[in-house]
Amino acid sequence: MAQILSVFPRDANSVPIWTEGLIATKAITYVAATTGAIAVATLFTVTGCVAVRVFGVCSDTLTSAGAPTLEVGITGATAVILAQIVNATDLATDELYLDATPTTKVEAMPNRLIIGNGQDIVQTIGTATITGGILTYYCVWAPISTDGNVVAA
């Protein structure tokens, strides 16, 4: 019989991770002067090397007096994980944020991406503030390196 040298990654309790992975969540209630301001904000702090799938679920339509852009990525590649939405107010209650045109309430899981060397996952709001609404980001992840970890910022 062939010897299999691969192993399951394990969580902090030494339990094998054999599903899609662990889940970290970050809910944001947007307010113009703080969480909805034009800025870059860390969603998830990443340690080591991990495989991730990131998406958002809108539970209250995003609002603004303008047309705010919204994207998710890492420093230097701010839309590499979730493409920029040209007007974030297009993200309505119960819609999923997986791409530049959030119009569906059911969608396939996004592709898995590899993030190495502790590159944190960030959200960038541009051009106008988001004055209201609630968006929950989900990061389904699995460690690749022995120190791989993801936590909500």
Side-chain angles (χ1 to χ4, degrees):
M1 176 184 274
Q3 183 179 15
I4 299 172
L5 301 177
S6 299
V7 297
F8 283 113
R10 295 177 181 272
D11 68 13
N13 298 311
S14 297
V15 176
I17 301 167
W18 55 273
T19 61
E20 282 287 331
L22 303 166
I23 301 172
T25 62
K26 172 82 173 196
I28 300 175
T29 300
Y30 291 97
V31 177
T34 56
T35 55
I38 297 172
V40 175
T42 302
L43 297 174
F44 301 103
T45 303
V46 178
T47 305
C49 186
V50 295
V52 300
R53 298 174 191 253
V54 177
F55 59 93
V57 177
C58 184
S59 57
D60 189 16
T61 300
L62 303 188
T63 59
S64 176
T69 58
L70 182 66
E71 59 197 43
V72 175
I74 60 172
T75 301
T78 57
V80 72
I81 296 174
L82 295 176
Q84 183 185 87
I85 301 174
V86 176
N87 185 345
T89 63
D90 291 341
L91 192 52
T93 300
D94 296 332
E95 289 184 341
L96 303 174
Y97 176 20
L98 289 164
D99 55 32
T101 55
T103 57
T104 60
K105 296 179 182 182
V106 176
E107 188 125 15
M109 284 288 279
N111 289 330
R112 187 176 294 190
L113 301 171
I114 298 170
I115 298 178
N117 298 322
Q119 296 289 316
D120 292 342
I121 299 170
V122 299
Q123 167 195 266
T124 303
I125 298 172
T127 68
T129 60
I130 299 175
T131 57
I134 301 171
L135 182 60
T136 301
Y137 288 100
Y138 293 87
C139 180
V140 182
W141 67 278
I144 295 175
S145 62
T146 57
D147 62 341
N149 194 24
V150 175
V151 295

